[in-house]
Amino acid sequence: MMRTCRLLICITIAGYLSACTNSEQVADQRLADQSTMAVNWMQQSGEYPAIALQTFKFATYAYQQAVEKGARTPAVIVDLDETMIDNSAYQAWAAAQQVPFTDASWSQWTHAKQALAIPGAVEFARYIDSHGGTLFYVSNRAEQDRLATVENLKALGFPRVSGQTLLLNTSSSNKQARFDEIRAQGFQVVVYVGDNLNDFGQATWHKDNIQRRAFVMQNREKFGTEFFLLPNPSYGDWESGLSQGYSAMTPTQKLHVREQALRVWKPSH
Ligand SMILES: [Mg+2]
């Protein structure tokens, strides 16, 4: 009798755990599936390349202005992913397979060297390089992906990709130390281009979206003159900025946070 009871309890617990695992898998699939429209927009709309071209044109103009005003040893800092290069095919793969981002699949993607140039990015980089500027590619890609990244960038036509100009994530995703290093070499950084507020400094690093929005409003004069942002609706620190502890949440909790974050219209009747 006792043995039968224990067996039943074990079966019940196993069934419960299996149901939990299945519901988390479904939640993970739903999270991945929600990025389909964002990827559709980035890959298929005309609006996305239009914004990219617009951004690089204004960034070029801001660089010219800074040089005319006498900037000495001017430098431009650009991010890579979803700023200079397009990884939307990786996002599309994750959405189609309904799987979450993992370091392993991302590394496999970077080693495939199939990222494309964002419209206007190569021309912008070449313009800076041929008009007295030094371009620094400051990315949070890992060191283990350096060689593949260099080869991918060179194949796309990006100029002067070297150990001095390509600064990857060696100890922290906070880019401030790498920005400071560039300034300490005597460069005057006149333009930053990114797809994440963290590409402009440490003020928004690990901050929630209320603080991130406040940073934008407090620095509004820099946007369009020194800071240039490309849209990235697929991913970014704005997602973890939805709630404290978001990154460590279960897929079900993340879905809940996303739904709760919607500002919803309530019809009167
Ligand atoms: Mg990026």
Side-chain angles (χ1 to χ4, degrees):
M1 185 63 186
M2 185 71 102
R3 189 173 290 178
T4 311
C5 271
R6 277 190 193 149
L7 186 64
L8 279 173
I9 289 167
C10 284
I11 290 170
T12 308
I13 292 171
Y16 174 74
L17 289 175
S18 157
C20 285
T21 308
N22 283 340
S23 75
E24 289 306 325
Q25 277 172 350
V26 170
D28 238 343
Q29 290 168 354
R30 283 191 61 205
L31 286 172
D33 198 33
Q34 285 180 357
S35 67
T36 299
M37 272 290 277
V39 178
N40 283 158
W41 184 73
M42 293 178 80
Q43 292 186 337
Q44 300 298 332
S45 77
E47 286 81 357
Y48 178 68
I51 292 175
L53 291 171
Q54 211 172 264
T55 305
F56 286 114
K57 189 177 285 183
F58 283 125
T60 304
Y61 181 66
Y63 174 79
Q64 291 167 339
Q65 293 282 100
V67 170
E68 276 173 28
K69 283 181 186 166
R72 281 184 295 172
T73 54
V76 170
I77 292 179
V78 296
D79 168 58
L80 286 182
D81 297 316
E82 277 48 72
T83 297
M84 305 304 268
I85 52 175
D86 167 355
N87 302 283
S88 61
Y90 170 79
Q91 304 300 328
W93 168 82
Q97 298 295 313
Q98 298 191 318
V99 293
F101 169 93
T102 63
D103 288 336
S105 63
W106 173 253
S107 190
Q108 201 182 341
W109 158 256
T110 60
H111 281 83
K113 298 175 272 187
Q114 287 182 28
L116 304 174
I118 300 282
V122 173
E123 294 80 355
F124 173 71
R126 287 185 175 167
Y127 181 90
I128 302 302
D129 184 59
S130 60
H131 288 78
T134 304
L135 196 80
F136 288 93
Y137 305 92
V138 183
S139 164
N140 279 337
R141 283 191 170 199
E143 274 297 329
Q144 64 179 31
D145 300 332
R146 176 179 284 275
L147 185 59
T149 301
V150 169
E151 288 177 0
N152 197 164
L153 290 172
K154 284 186 173 174
L156 293 171
F158 286 103
R160 278 184 231 278
V161 183
S162 70
Q164 192 219 344
T165 60
L166 177 62
L167 307 180
L168 301 181
N169 181 357
T170 51
S171 57
S172 169
S173 63
N174 181 345
K175 294 182 171 180
Q176 191 63 53
R178 282 169 277 169
F179 295 171
D180 293 344
E181 209 176 287
I182 291 165
R183 281 202 207 88
Q185 289 174 45
F187 290 101
Q188 185 181 345
V189 183
V190 295
V191 166
Y192 295 79
V193 191
D195 69 309
N196 188 320
L197 295 177
N198 300 359
D199 295 330
F200 307 133
Q202 66 185 351
T204 54
W205 190 65
H206 285 186
K207 295 292 197 305
D208 66 26
N209 284 331
I210 294 171
Q211 292 163 303
R212 294 169 73 81
R213 290 196 299 270
F215 167 82
V216 173
M217 298 316 286
Q218 285 155 12
N219 291 277
R220 58 196 304 160
E221 79 288 349
K222 291 189 177 178
F223 286 91
T225 52
E226 183 183 341
F227 299 160
F228 293 87
L229 189 91
L230 286 140
N232 183 356
S234 279
Y235 68 91
D237 287 75
W238 61 267
E239 186 190 346
S240 49
L242 287 170
S243 173
Q244 206 173 11
Y246 182 89
S247 303
M249 286 180 181
T250 64
T252 303
Q253 289 170 327
K254 287 181 179 174
L255 271 180
H256 182 69
V257 166
R258 287 187 188 185
E259 284 158 11
Q260 288 298 306
L262 292 171
R263 191 170 61 235
V264 182
W265 173 53
K266 294 183 182 68
S268 51
H269 44 251

